[in-house]
Amino acid sequence: MQKPSHFIAVDWGTSRLRAFLCNVKTDGSLKLVTRSAGLGVSKSALSFEETLMECISPWEFEYGKLPVLMAGQIGSSIGWKETPYLASPISPQELAKSCVNFQCNGYDINVIPGLSCKLENNNYDCMRGEELQILGWLQLAEHNQIGQHLVCLPGTHTKWVLVEDGKIKLFKTALTGELFDLIANHSVLIQEKATVFNQEAFNSGAVFTLNSETGSLIHGLFSVRSRQLFGQLNADEATSYLSGLLIGSDVRAAMNATEWSLTKMDKVSVIGAPHLSSCFASVLNSQLIATEICQVTTTTLLGFNSVFQSINQLSKKIA
């Protein structure tokens, strides 16, 4: 019987590095053995090699020098080894073929490329790292690999991804999380950022945007300030209201997108941090759109495993 395989998955973004020691069992299932963390591409004072070794070398004594898969900003122009943006539509197998391979301190390392797509308005979009969540989502159910599906990846730069017959067809990015951070911390709209989430205020913000005649976010944003001035919101509620306003606008744009039709899909799958995923799901549900919330770490690691298996298959063919 073939021994279970181990590999290291590294999600290396701008702010932080997350490394996962993974075990692929003989039945193909994936188990997370342990994890480690470090500073991101733009945060660490150490070299990329030193930062990585600090995270993964403690595992070497027991497991040896395991294969390493890396994704995220580590493959960008500010990262270690720049990888290309591969044009969508694309499958997991095609992604594996284009990994950038190199050796470091005895480790065999593959950096997974980012993705790009060209939209109907002639604009381009791109992602680095989020593609692993989509590849993992494809492994969750056979149904996900057939027909059209929409996957929402909420975060600093929220991604709405159209998946068709097992391939990432296209995607659209919204600066929802980044706008929230900028407005909440660097504008006159929020004088004191609340630490407790208020569901009622959040719902009020989402409804304001969703029911707006034109959906004008720019005009609606000042209501965060004016509602506080005239007693409709208190300071503790304003941050949640702002969140609802922005997420409501994001969802409304997805509902009106010309690249897909939500009415033709049975649900939207949401993959992100638990609270943020719940917020997006609640707004979608309010518009009678069914949702499925997927656990982000599990889904991401399944994506890494998908690429790992594809690389192994390619290696066997070459051998």
Side-chain angles (χ1 to χ4, degrees):
M1 182 180 293
Q2 185 179 4
K3 291 182 179 180
S5 299
H6 290 81
F7 72 94
I8 297 171
V10 180
D11 183 1
W12 202 338
T14 304
S15 301
R16 61 178 180 169
L17 178 162
R18 296 183 299 166
F20 305 89
L21 175 59
C22 301
N23 172 213
V24 183
K25 297 182 179 181
T26 52
D27 63 359
S29 62
L30 187 70
K31 177 184 177 182
L32 172 59
V33 179
T34 188
R35 66 181 74 195
S36 181
L39 294 175
V41 169
S42 64
K43 300 293 184 181
S44 179
L46 303 175
S47 69
F48 292 128
E49 178 179 344
E50 290 170 325
T51 302
L52 178 64
M53 290 305 127
E54 196 174 70
C55 285
I56 70 173
S57 59
W59 303 331
E60 187 177 323
F61 177 78
E62 183 174 356
Y63 297 96
K65 294 182 183 290
L66 297 173
V68 178
L69 290 183
M70 301 196 300
Q73 289 303 307
I74 195 62
S76 72
S77 58
I78 63 171
W80 195 348
K81 300 285 184 179
E82 186 173 3
T83 61
Y85 282 109
L86 304 180
S88 299
I90 194 166
S91 68
Q93 293 75 20
E94 293 171 293
L95 200 63
K97 290 178 183 177
S98 300
C99 288
V100 173
N101 177 263
F102 68 102
Q103 306 295 312
C104 175
N105 198 26
Y107 286 88
D108 184 64
I109 299 177
N110 278 285
V111 185
I112 300 169
L115 300 184
S116 68
C117 68
K118 192 173 185 179
L119 302 171
E120 291 180 356
N121 59 11
N122 219 32
N123 284 335
Y124 285 89
D125 210 324
C126 60
M127 67 167 67
R128 279 198 188 275
E130 296 94 345
E131 67 278 356
L132 273 302
Q133 295 167 17
I134 302 299
L135 299 185
W137 174 84
L138 284 168
Q139 310 308 310
L140 292 177
E142 290 185 11
H143 169 75
N144 293 348
Q145 302 181 34
I146 303 170
Q148 276 198 350
H149 306 273
L150 190 64
V151 183
C152 174
L153 310 175
T156 302
H157 294 168
T158 296
K159 307 286 184 182
W160 297 84
V161 186
L162 182 64
V163 179
E164 189 173 90
D165 294 330
K167 291 188 175 184
I168 298 173
K169 184 175 183 181
L170 59 85
F171 47 90
K172 302 182 78 171
T173 301
L175 298 182
T176 316
E178 185 170 358
L179 275 176
F180 174 79
D181 180 66
L182 289 170
I183 294 170
N185 294 300
H186 304 286
S187 80
V188 300
L189 298 185
I190 302 291
Q191 298 294 310
E192 185 178 340
K193 191 175 179 181
T195 56
V196 178
F197 179 72
N198 185 294
Q199 186 68 53
E200 187 176 347
F202 173 86
N203 293 342
S204 178
V207 167
F208 181 96
T209 306
L210 290 164
N211 292 347
S212 171
E213 185 176 347
T214 60
S216 175
L217 176 63
I218 296 300
H219 287 181
L221 274 174
F222 193 70
S223 67
V224 177
R225 180 68 177 144
S226 62
R227 288 192 175 205
Q228 292 178 79
L229 291 173
F230 294 96
Q232 294 173 299
L233 284 175
N234 62 43
D236 290 335
E237 298 168 335
T239 303
S240 297
Y241 175 82
L242 170 64
S243 177
L245 200 72
L246 293 171
I247 292 176
S249 176
D250 194 345
V251 169
R252 178 170 177 151
M255 291 171 60
N256 293 324
T258 58
E259 291 84 1
W260 55 70
S261 173
L262 282 180
T263 59
K264 295 181 179 179
M265 300 179 191
D266 58 351
K267 66 179 182 300
V268 173
S269 297
V270 185
I271 311 171
H275 173 69
L276 197 54
S277 294
S278 177
C279 286
F280 271 83
S282 70
V283 176
L284 285 162
N285 295 160
S286 75
Q287 302 305 297
L288 304 181
I289 300 169
T291 56
E292 166 196 45
I293 296 179
C294 305
Q295 209 282 330
V296 63
T297 299
T298 299
T299 308
T300 302
L301 293 182
L302 284 173
F304 273 108
N305 187 40
S306 174
V307 177
F308 177 66
Q309 298 298 337
S310 295
I311 289 174
N312 284 344
Q313 291 173 7
L314 290 170
S315 299
K316 289 179 183 177
K317 288 181 180 178
I318 294 173

